[in-house]
Amino acid sequence: MQQRSADKPDQPVGDSTVRIVVGAAGEARPAPDATAVISTVDKDATTRLEVGDKTVRIPVGPDDSSETRFMPAPVPTTGGPVGALAEQPAAADHETGADHRPEFALAGVVAAVAGLLALVVPEGPLSLALLLVLALFGPGAALLSVANVRSRLVSWALTVAGSLSVLTLLAAITLWLRVWQPALWIGVLAGATLIGSAYQFFRLTRAGVPLILGRAGKPHATVDNGVVLGAIPFVTLLAGVGLWILALAQLSPDEVGLYGFSAALGVPFVVGMLLLFIGFAVELFGRARPLVLAATLVVLPIVMQATVPLLDGTIEYAWTYKHVGVVDLIRDNGSLISGSDIYQQWPGFFSAVAMLSHISGIDAISFAAWSSLTFALITSLMTAALLRQFTQDRRIIALAVLLFQACMWVDIGYFSPQALVYALMLAFWVIVARWLIGAPEIKAEPKGRIGRLRAWLVQGMPPRIPADARTRRWAALGATGIFAAIVVSHQLSPVLMMVPLFALTILGILRPKKFLVGLVALMLIFFVPRLGSVNSQYSLFSFDLLSNASGNSASWKTPEQEFSATVARALAIGLWLAALVAIFLSRKKLGRVLVPAVIGFLPMVTLVAGNYGGEAIYRVFAFSMPFVGLLIGVLWAGKGRRGVPAMLASGVMLTVLLLAGLQGLQGQLMVHQVRATDIDAAEYFYANAEPGSGLILVAPNFPTKLEANYGDFNKGHVSVDISLIGDPLFTGNLNGSRLPDIETYIRSMNYPTNYLVVSDAMDDYTDYFGTAQDDAMQSLDAALRASSNWKVFYQGPGVAIFQLTGQAAAN
């Protein structure tokens, strides 16, 4: 370390400061971005600079006339915990990361062989499992065996994203070109993956690149804080899982009450989660062993997302079954049959799943219940890789991922296009953050308000990671491929992504600008011809910010619903405010947090335009969560090791956050549960009802459109259900006395035959949401059975389908 005197910089009155300069010793005027100032307000003899688990003490006594210390390497932390975001982890990877290409070439070979075996083994679960190995790892591993990313975490995240993108685009293109041959194209994909991966593996090994299957690089720095604290995380992990299993084993689906899942599991579950998080906090603020932290990050999604499938064995949410029907339609027909069905206009996700279902011989309804868990694990991997682009601190990354998991009360992973595109969106930002963004070059004193504002916003931002033009072009191409898979799968997500992309480009942070132009062109080419059908179903241009941001608050009619909704809203607002505090604390060098803040918060401006059928606010929250978790994680864990009181307090706080997140996620489980008897009734209807007829529901929680022939019914209303509850004519005023009005309402739709569904689940729905009298279903069921105009078409436990047979009454 070298010292020199320098012209005294402007200093706060009464403070002693040290400037940390990244550059050559003796440099006359170091660049402002290479200088960090540490203040010692208390005039102590030393100032502390915390870097991970280590602390650098720099003397600044009164007898020390030197004011500048030249450091031999970039300093990660220079201004409190928020300064952790000024790190350059990717640059470190380029300097010390190992070459993992042979590892991914071998993974590509294994995944390709699994895909080929899936084509020859008998249809069933084994075939599906082998196909999933190919779909999740094959093509992406082949690509990563060529791209020398030098970060195993990022490489595995991009492997999964690349594989899913390739499968999605392949399925959609073959569907549009009417060359739908799933076995053929999966065979081609597996064969190309095998040949490319095998060639790359032998080429690399011949060139002397070693195959690294274990850990590469230096071991993680840990501190031995005693046998007891070292063993606690293992004990609490086992205890937490055990108590969850015990609570789940003692619970039946009928015992889930009006306050949802957490209340039904009871005290053992809460104690188990408290122990789990205390153990996590002990590890987080103690040794911070990566594998121990990762164990909790795997267990938590299982607890949150596997409980309902284990409890019910059916797919949650009635509207999910519409997606099953689209998959079956593509699988059975190999083509799209409706230009007005919004699901068929964005077929990426559906066609990819249809390929897997066609080859394995397993209906999507058999495995769709596990979608939330599968995508929770995938998005956790993507989130960790994304956060790694902003900080090297494993404590911050682990805590941020945990917050992302525990507080995600929006079920972003249920069987739907949103689940796929959310994971791909995170991978897209991994590529952009790693290779395509960085501090803009400001060569002269900024002029004008806009110039000064831009300079202030980017102040303190780490410089761009060194990368040649060829690397950036390939990165832009990879991000564009992922974006294309998003565009063909979902309507809203590309629009939300465009807002921060424009802002980053205008600020000069995202380059090249041609990258944004290409993305906009791709989105518009696909989106504009379909804009009318989307706007006819969703409120895209309502321009009512308060209404668009309120979600479904206008429909809160019962204490139970209001409780769950209030908890979820308070959690969201609290998290956003905490993240804003982190941004405020970094205001003097806002560039440290600018990129996470822009990507996480700017999608909120889309709420000015529309609410997307009430869903926009929930998508905005989900899109912000990885970056909110990062900003909060810096405040919470940015100072590294803590004592036992902080560990206990953190465990309690994390438990509270989890319970709040679960209340928002599963507080309405009683009405989101879909009973097996209702599924049987729906399958009977689509197998036996007259084509061209209308299906009317009393309440919208019946599993409609779950078969491939769903387009033969409710023509003109294919994308939405027809429900009495929800129509102002009947909401809050529905019972047997309204049967004549119901008949008139149904006949006005002019279907040749009409059916009406009444069920116990609908009774629960109207009770929970307060949209009908307590005895409405019983009164309506009795009136239907007594009427000569109706007959029972189907009768099952707790569900009946009635057929309207009589003629309309004369006026």
Side-chain angles (χ1 to χ4, degrees):
M1 182 178 293
Q2 301 181 24
Q3 304 178 11
R4 75 170 180 89
S5 298
D7 296 335
K8 292 185 178 181
D10 294 336
Q11 298 180 13
V13 177
D15 282 1
S16 178
T17 64
V18 169
R19 282 199 308 152
I20 308 300
V21 179
V22 181
E27 184 178 0
R29 293 188 180 277
D33 287 346
T35 303
V37 178
I38 301 178
S39 299
T40 54
V41 179
D42 59 0
K43 301 294 183 182
D44 203 354
T46 62
T47 186
R48 291 161 53 94
L49 177 63
E50 297 194 7
V51 183
D53 293 324
K54 300 178 180 179
T55 300
V56 179
R57 290 180 173 84
I58 305 171
V60 285
D63 57 344
D64 186 356
S65 60
S66 170
E67 294 164 351
T68 302
R69 300 288 189 271
F70 285 93
M71 308 298 288
V75 178
T77 305
T78 58
V82 178
L85 293 188
E87 303 166 9
Q88 301 178 54
D93 288 339
H94 281 289
E95 294 171 3
T96 62
D99 189 342
H100 295 286
R101 287 179 294 169
E103 173 185 342
F104 289 92
L106 182 60
V109 170
V110 173
V113 171
L116 293 173
L117 287 175
L119 300 176
V120 297
V121 301
E123 293 182 348
L126 176 59
S127 176
L128 178 61
L130 293 170
L131 285 170
L132 286 174
V133 173
L134 174 68
L136 291 173
F137 304 110
L143 294 172
L144 268 296
S145 71
V146 178
N148 192 3
V149 174
R150 292 188 177 274
S151 168
R152 181 174 277 164
L153 174 62
V154 173
S155 295
W156 277 110
L158 296 183
T159 290
V160 175
S163 296
L164 291 174
S165 297
V166 169
L167 177 64
T168 299
L169 292 172
L170 174 66
I173 291 171
T174 57
L175 183 67
W176 283 322
L177 296 179
R178 298 183 179 274
V179 289
W180 179 259
Q181 296 290 335
L184 170 64
W185 293 113
I186 287 293
V188 170
L189 181 62
T193 300
L194 178 60
I195 294 171
S197 298
Y199 169 78
Q200 187 69 355
F201 182 78
F202 288 116
R203 189 183 74 83
L204 292 169
T205 52
R206 287 186 62 184
V209 181
L211 173 63
I212 303 173
L213 297 180
R215 170 163 175 77
K218 298 179 181 179
H220 289 293
T222 59
V223 178
D224 187 357
N225 52 351
V227 175
V228 174
L229 291 180
I232 282 178
F234 298 98
V235 175
T236 55
L237 181 67
L238 293 175
V241 173
L243 287 171
W244 166 64
I245 294 174
L246 176 65
L248 185 61
Q250 296 176 345
L251 182 67
S252 68
D254 295 336
E255 293 175 334
V256 177
L258 293 171
Y259 285 93
F261 166 69
S262 301
L265 287 177
V267 174
F269 172 72
V270 176
V271 172
M273 294 302 98
L274 179 61
L275 292 174
L276 177 69
F277 285 128
I278 287 177
F280 176 83
V282 166
E283 188 65 30
L284 183 75
F285 294 123
R287 297 186 183 184
R289 291 165 288 188
L291 290 179
V292 180
L293 294 173
T296 303
L297 300 181
V298 171
V299 167
L300 184 57
I302 294 174
V303 171
M304 294 188 69
Q305 304 296 348
T307 300
V308 174
L310 291 172
L311 184 67
D312 283 346
T314 61
I315 305 171
E316 194 177 5
Y317 313 119
W319 57 83
T320 307
Y321 292 82
K322 300 176 178 63
H323 305 152
V324 173
V326 182
V327 170
D328 288 353
L329 180 148
I330 295 174
R331 180 198 63 194
D332 296 347
N333 296 282
S335 62
L336 303 173
I337 64 174
S338 173
S340 61
D341 185 355
I342 193 171
Y343 296 126
Q344 295 184 48
Q345 293 190 60
W346 274 267
F349 168 80
F350 303 116
S351 56
V353 178
M355 269 194 167
L356 305 182
S357 177
H358 180 95
I359 297 171
S360 66
I362 298 181
D363 291 337
I365 199 171
S366 301
F367 57 81
W370 296 98
S371 173
S372 291
L373 175 58
T374 301
F375 280 104
L377 295 172
I378 291 174
T379 54
S380 294
L381 171 64
M382 302 296 178
T383 301
L386 177 57
L387 302 186
R388 181 64 179 82
Q389 307 316 304
F390 301 102
T391 179
Q392 295 182 70
D393 194 325
R394 63 182 182 272
R395 289 184 171 91
I396 295 175
I397 295 174
L399 180 59
V401 174
L402 190 79
L403 291 171
F404 166 80
Q405 294 171 338
C407 300
M408 183 61 83
W409 56 265
V410 176
D411 191 352
I412 201 69
Y414 75 93
F415 187 74
S416 65
Q418 295 93 309
L420 172 66
V421 301
Y422 186 74
L424 296 183
M425 180 270 297
L426 295 175
F428 173 89
W429 288 120
V430 170
I431 297 176
V432 170
R434 189 174 183 84
W435 287 287
L436 301 179
I437 66 174
E441 296 181 5
I442 303 178
K443 298 180 180 180
E445 184 71 22
K447 297 180 180 180
R449 293 181 180 179
I450 296 178
R452 289 193 294 271
L453 175 62
R454 178 171 172 264
W456 174 68
L457 288 173
V458 302
Q459 185 178 5
M461 179 178 293
R464 292 179 181 273
I465 298 169
D468 54 36
R470 181 173 178 269
T471 299
R472 289 194 295 272
R473 284 196 298 269
W474 281 110
L477 182 61
T480 302
I482 293 175
F483 188 77
I486 294 172
V487 166
V488 302
S489 298
H490 196 234
Q491 310 84 29
L492 180 63
S493 298
V495 178
L496 292 176
M497 294 169 65
M498 275 298 158
V499 178
L501 284 170
F502 268 101
L504 294 173
T505 302
I506 292 171
L507 290 171
I509 296 171
L510 175 63
R511 284 184 282 178
K513 294 181 179 179
K514 291 184 292 185
F515 173 62
L516 176 62
V517 174
L519 297 183
V520 172
L522 178 63
M523 185 182 73
L524 292 179
I525 289 172
F526 191 85
F527 191 76
V528 169
R530 297 163 174 81
L531 182 61
S533 63
V534 178
N535 195 41
S536 66
Q537 182 171 339
Y538 301 108
S539 299
L540 293 184
F541 305 109
S542 60
F543 297 105
D544 185 345
L545 176 61
L546 294 178
S547 175
N548 297 337
S550 65
N552 62 2
S553 60
S555 64
W556 297 354
K557 297 183 183 298
T558 64
E560 297 84 8
Q561 182 192 11
E562 185 173 0
F563 175 75
S564 293
T566 302
V567 168
R569 177 170 290 190
L571 178 62
I573 294 174
L575 292 171
W576 282 336
L577 288 176
L580 291 174
V581 169
I583 296 173
F584 175 78
L585 292 177
S586 191
R587 64 192 180 280
K588 292 183 179 180
K589 287 198 173 181
L590 196 60
R592 294 170 175 170
V593 298
L594 180 63
V595 174
V598 166
I599 302 175
F601 284 96
L602 269 193
M604 290 183 181
V605 304
T606 59
L607 296 174
V608 175
N611 65 11
Y612 195 71
E615 291 187 26
I617 184 62
Y618 307 117
R619 303 300 166 201
V620 166
F621 173 76
F623 274 48
S624 72
M625 269 308 297
F627 305 99
V628 167
L630 171 66
L631 294 168
I632 296 175
V634 171
L635 292 178
W636 197 331
K639 291 185 178 180
R641 300 182 68 214
R642 303 280 185 87
V644 172
M647 295 175 180
L648 294 175
S650 294
V652 173
M653 178 58 69
L654 288 172
T655 305
V656 172
L657 292 175
L658 170 69
L659 294 177
L662 274 176
Q663 190 62 40
L665 179 68
Q666 301 292 2
Q668 298 181 2
L669 182 59
M670 189 183 78
V671 295
H672 288 161
Q673 288 175 302
V674 178
R675 305 175 186 185
T677 53
D678 285 8
I679 297 173
D680 292 339
E683 290 175 336
Y684 180 88
F685 172 83
Y686 287 103
N688 298 280
E690 295 182 19
S693 59
L695 178 65
I696 294 85
L697 314 177
V698 174
N701 62 328
F702 184 73
T704 59
K705 304 181 179 69
L706 76 174
E707 297 289 348
N709 65 335
Y710 72 90
D712 293 338
F713 305 91
N714 286 14
K715 292 184 177 180
H717 297 83
V718 173
S719 297
V720 295
D721 287 329
I722 305 173
S723 172
L724 301 181
I725 296 297
D727 191 302
L729 184 63
F730 299 106
T731 301
N733 183 21
L734 180 68
N735 53 45
S737 66
R738 300 293 310 278
L739 188 56
D741 298 325
I742 294 172
E743 291 182 9
T744 302
Y745 176 84
I746 293 175
R747 291 184 193 278
S748 67
M749 298 178 188
N750 296 318
Y751 292 119
T753 307
N754 295 281
Y755 302 87
L756 179 65
V757 183
V758 182
S759 70
D760 290 348
M762 295 177 181
D763 192 30
D764 292 339
Y765 180 96
T766 56
D767 286 346
Y768 183 85
F769 291 110
T771 50
Q773 300 94 322
D774 290 342
D775 62 344
M777 294 301 156
Q778 295 84 351
S779 172
L780 182 58
D781 182 86
L784 288 166
R785 295 179 188 276
S787 173
S788 60
N789 289 342
W790 295 87
K791 71 174 184 179
V792 176
F793 174 74
Y794 174 87
Q795 179 66 60
V799 57
I801 303 177
F802 297 91
Q803 181 179 350
L804 181 58
T805 59
Q807 298 296 318
N811 292 332

